[in-house]
Amino acid sequence: MPGSDELVALYDQAGSVVGTTTRSRVRDEGLWHAAGVVLVRSGDGKAVYVHLRTAVKDVFPSTWDCWAGGVVAAGETPAECARRELAEELGVQGVEPVPLFTKVYDDGRNRCHNFAFEVRWDGPIHHQAEEIVEGRWIPLEDLRAWIDDPAPELPFIPDGREGVQEWFRRYG
C-alpha cells in the first residue's frame, strides 16, 4: 500500500510517544501507535456520518466505520492528526474537533491508542477515493442498533465499534 514507509509516531502501551518508526513496521510487528479519530455528527446531533473503507486499506479493509481518522504521523499530535484526517478523508474543514476520550484497541496484532474527537457538521462531504468507497448519514439510534448487532449484515470495523460503544456509554 502506498505510504507504508511513512514515518509515524511510535507509542508505548501506556500511551506515551517513545519515538518514530515506519507505518509498515508498525503493521508488520504489531507495534503500539496512535490514531486521531473523529465522529462526525449532524449539526443537530441526531445523525452520524458512516463510510465504507476501500478494499485496499492496510487494516480492516471493506468495513464500515463512523470515525474519520488515521495514524498519528511522526511529530504530529493526535489533535493535528484528527484535523488532517477529517479534511483528507471527508473534506471537512474549518471546524475544530472536540476531544472526547482515548480508547485503547489491542487485538494482539493491532495495538492502538485511538484519540477520539467529535465535530458537528452540516456542510458537504467529499470522499477521498483512495480511502472511502461510499458514505451516508444515519440516525444515532440506527448506529446503536448496528454496532450492538453481534452478526450485522454490513461489516463494521472492530476498533470503531469499540470506540462508538464507548461513546454511547459516555454520551449517548
Side-chain angles (χ1 to χ4, degrees):
M1 174 159 185
S4 64
D5 285 331
E6 69 183 299
L7 286 179
V8 300
L10 183 64
Y11 279 67
D12 64 15
Q13 187 173 357
S16 298
V17 177
V18 294
T20 62
T21 190
T22 61
R23 182 185 185 102
S24 59
R25 186 166 170 243
V26 163
R27 296 299 186 216
D28 292 346
E29 298 177 31
L31 300 176
W32 281 100
H33 60 289
V37 298
V38 185
L39 186 69
V40 180
R41 294 176 63 198
S42 58
D44 65 8
K46 295 179 181 179
V48 173
Y49 196 79
V50 297
H51 60 275
L52 178 61
R53 296 161 59 89
T54 62
V56 296
K57 293 291 290 177
D58 63 343
V59 66
F60 305 124
S62 300
T63 55
W64 285 86
D65 199 353
C66 62
W67 301 94
V71 176
V72 175
E76 185 177 53
T77 68
E80 291 167 338
C81 175
R83 283 190 296 275
R84 175 179 54 79
E85 291 286 347
L86 186 60
E88 287 175 5
E89 290 185 2
L90 300 179
V92 174
Q93 299 180 60
V95 60
E96 186 62 27
V98 175
L100 298 175
F101 54 83
T102 303
K103 179 71 174 114
V104 174
Y105 182 78
D106 181 2
D107 66 8
R109 178 163 164 69
N110 298 295
R111 294 180 169 96
C112 188
H113 300 277
N114 286 313
F115 289 84
F117 297 83
E118 180 180 312
V119 297
R120 299 285 181 103
W121 182 256
D122 285 324
I125 301 286
H126 302 285
H127 297 152
Q128 181 181 25
E130 300 82 12
E131 304 243 355
I132 297 175
V133 175
E134 64 177 281
R136 62 180 168 262
W137 292 98
I138 66 168
L140 276 172
E141 59 268 16
D142 291 354
L143 178 61
R144 183 189 294 267
W146 189 359
I147 61 144
D148 287 345
D149 185 342
E153 180 180 329
L154 301 173
F156 205 90
I157 190 168
D159 63 336
R161 178 185 302 273
E162 287 186 13
V164 79
Q165 286 171 331
E166 181 67 21
W167 184 89
F168 276 119
R169 276 191 288 279
R170 291 175 182 238
Y171 308 106

